[in-house]
């Protein structure tokens, strides 16, 4: 299936024609699949095409992330800095506070403090220096102070992991793998003030290396939930799966709580933030073009 989905030229056309022959109508309800592939984009050229209810809901709610009520706090983590540069630049413009996690945060810390952390690539550190310089002026990044360092990624073993404090960083220091944020970081006054005062909170983040280092993410979810007045948006498969596994009761309650919205596609939300318009997604434009072509055909008939 993947080969047909992502083929080019004649191979792709044959695949899409065969796929369209199996149906009378096409409904795209996959907000998380924003790449213009065979079954998400090209098929709209051959069938009457519509946005499903889930797609409509996510397109509606993402507007509240693009135009958030203030103060706006965004929490973003990831395993690769260079893939998040575009979204981070745009998120930074919108937020009052930005919280980073995972290798993205490690990269930022290396760029700011001149330290070395295992697993962080030198090329990414160079890219992160732009964000460091930007934040010297605007001071939007909320640094989580206490982190968890481990000697191994194989598990959480006694005497092989420890907490470290960002305030102790100095140029030239070398650290092993930094794999989580210690829960105490979310109990500090600056973190509590930012979370408690926010009117909008967007989360696309697992703070620790799962499944062994879950404590920071668990505490993050608890602190966010204590802000009962904020509109809370969680997005992404890993983000939602971890939320569900750590706090199953809270997750179930969030599904029916108007103060929560759970996006199926966190990467798509970041793409929308980067582009600035959900209607600019290629998969959505395919549906819009399909509608326009349908009315043209009626007028011409």
């Amino acid at each position: 299936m993947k080969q047909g989905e992502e083929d080019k030229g004649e191979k792709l056309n044959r695949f899409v024609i065969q796929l369209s022959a199996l149906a009378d109508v096409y409904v795209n309800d996959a907000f998380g699949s924003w790449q213009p592939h065979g079954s998400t984009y090209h098929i709209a050229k051959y069938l009457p095409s519509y946005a499903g209810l889930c797609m409509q809901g996510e397109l509606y709610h993402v507007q509240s992330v693009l135009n958030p009520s203030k103060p706006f706090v965004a929490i973003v983590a990831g395993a690769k800095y260079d893939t998040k540069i575009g979204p981070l630049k745009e998120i930074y413009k919108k937020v009052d506070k930005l919280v980073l996690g995972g290798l993205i945060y490690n990269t930022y810390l290396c760029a700011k403090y001149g330290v070395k952390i295992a697993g962080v690539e030198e090329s990414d550190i160079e890219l992160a220096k732009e964000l460091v310089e930007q934040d010297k002026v605007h001071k939007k990044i909320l640094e989580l102070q206490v982190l968890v360092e481990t000697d191994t990624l194989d598990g959480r073993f006694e005497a092989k992991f420890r907490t470290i404090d960002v305030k102790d960083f100095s140029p030239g220091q070398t650290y092993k793998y930094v794999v989580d944020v210690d829960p105490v970081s979310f109990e500090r006054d600056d973190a509590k003030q930012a979370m408690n005062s926010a009117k909008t909170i967007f989360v696309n983040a697992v703070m620790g290396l799962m499944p062994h280092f879950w404590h920071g993410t668990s505490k993050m979810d608890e602190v966010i939930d204590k802000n009962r007045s904020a509109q809370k948006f969680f997005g992404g498969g890993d983000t939602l799966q971890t939320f569900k596994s750590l706090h199953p009761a809270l997750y179930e309650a969030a599904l029916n709580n108007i103060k929560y919205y759970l996006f199926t596609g966190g990467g798509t939300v970041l793409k929308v933030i980067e582009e600035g318009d959900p209607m600019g997604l290629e998969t959505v434009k395919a549906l819009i073009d399909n509608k326009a072509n349908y009315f043209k055909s009626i007028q011409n008939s």
Side-chain angles (χ1 to χ4, degrees):
M1 175 67 80
K2 183 176 180 181
Q3 185 175 1
E5 274 284 286
E6 301 178 21
D7 267 330
K8 306 291 183 184
E10 187 57 33
K11 285 186 177 180
L12 175 62
N13 289 335
R14 286 202 303 268
F15 169 74
V16 174
I17 290 171
Q18 291 172 357
L19 194 62
S20 65
L22 302 175
D24 298 313
V25 173
Y26 169 65
V27 177
N28 187 343
D29 215 15
F31 178 76
S33 299
W34 59 267
Q35 296 91 343
H37 293 156
S39 67
T40 60
Y41 175 78
H42 295 279
I43 195 169
K45 301 171 185 175
Y46 297 96
L47 290 170
S49 302
Y50 305 91
L53 295 177
C54 179
M55 172 77 85
Q56 292 178 41
E58 303 209 31
L59 290 172
Y60 173 79
H61 282 93
V62 78
Q63 295 287 355
S64 295
V65 180
L66 287 174
N67 303 289
S69 298
K70 297 279 195 161
F72 176 35
V73 174
I75 306 173
V76 180
K80 189 71 173 168
Y81 188 87
D82 63 354
T83 61
K84 298 287 178 74
I85 292 175
L88 278 177
K89 285 182 178 178
E90 295 304 315
I91 288 173
Y92 193 89
K93 296 175 185 177
K94 297 178 182 296
V95 298
D96 296 281
K97 289 296 179 182
L98 175 62
V99 179
L100 301 175
L103 274 175
I104 289 179
Y105 189 36
N106 294 353
T107 304
Y108 169 82
L109 293 174
C110 288
K112 180 174 181 178
Y113 293 101
V115 298
K116 300 294 184 184
I117 298 175
V120 177
E121 296 181 10
E122 198 64 39
S123 58
D124 285 344
I125 295 173
E126 288 301 313
L127 293 173
K129 287 180 179 178
E130 180 181 349
L131 181 60
V132 171
E133 291 302 312
Q134 191 176 13
D135 200 60
K136 285 181 180 178
V137 177
H138 301 289
K139 302 186 184 305
K140 292 183 175 184
I141 294 179
L142 174 61
E143 294 187 5
L144 300 172
Q145 287 289 310
V146 186
L147 310 174
V148 179
E149 179 193 26
T150 180
D151 299 334
T152 175
L153 299 178
D154 294 332
R156 187 182 178 93
F157 301 111
E158 196 67 33
K160 289 194 175 183
F161 71 92
R162 64 208 62 86
T163 58
I164 57 176
D165 198 311
V166 171
K167 69 177 174 29
D168 296 326
F169 283 6
S170 61
Q173 287 181 319
T174 299
Y175 293 91
K176 295 181 180 178
Y177 301 100
V178 175
V179 291
D180 200 4
V181 172
D182 191 271
V184 73
S185 293
F186 287 103
E187 296 174 355
R188 290 170 57 92
D189 289 342
D190 55 352
K192 286 197 295 186
Q193 196 280 331
M195 296 298 180
N196 292 339
S197 64
K199 296 298 182 186
T200 307
I201 302 174
F202 170 65
V203 183
N204 178 230
V206 177
M207 303 307 288
L209 181 65
M210 298 294 288
H212 306 294
F213 296 92
W214 51 266
H215 305 74
T217 306
S218 180
K219 186 65 175 181
M220 176 191 73
D221 293 340
E222 292 170 6
V223 170
I224 290 171
D225 186 62
K226 287 179 181 178
N227 184 337
R228 299 304 169 89
S229 63
Q231 193 67 49
K232 297 172 277 285
F233 299 95
F234 282 62
D238 290 340
T239 302
L240 296 187
Q241 183 57 46
T242 304
F243 184 24
K244 184 177 182 180
S245 66
L246 294 178
H247 299 285
L250 178 56
Y251 176 86
E252 291 298 325
L255 292 174
N256 297 300
N257 186 335
I258 61 171
K259 288 297 183 180
Y260 277 89
Y261 190 78
L262 309 183
F263 289 103
T264 60
T268 308
V269 177
L270 294 178
K271 181 67 176 176
V272 169
I273 291 171
E274 182 178 4
E275 299 294 333
D277 181 9
M279 299 305 168
L281 294 172
E282 291 298 324
T283 50
V284 177
K285 287 197 292 186
L287 302 177
I288 296 172
D289 291 344
N290 181 277
K291 180 179 179 181
N293 292 334
Y294 173 75
F295 282 114
K296 281 183 184 178
S297 67
I298 292 178
Q299 292 170 357
N300 294 333
S301 61

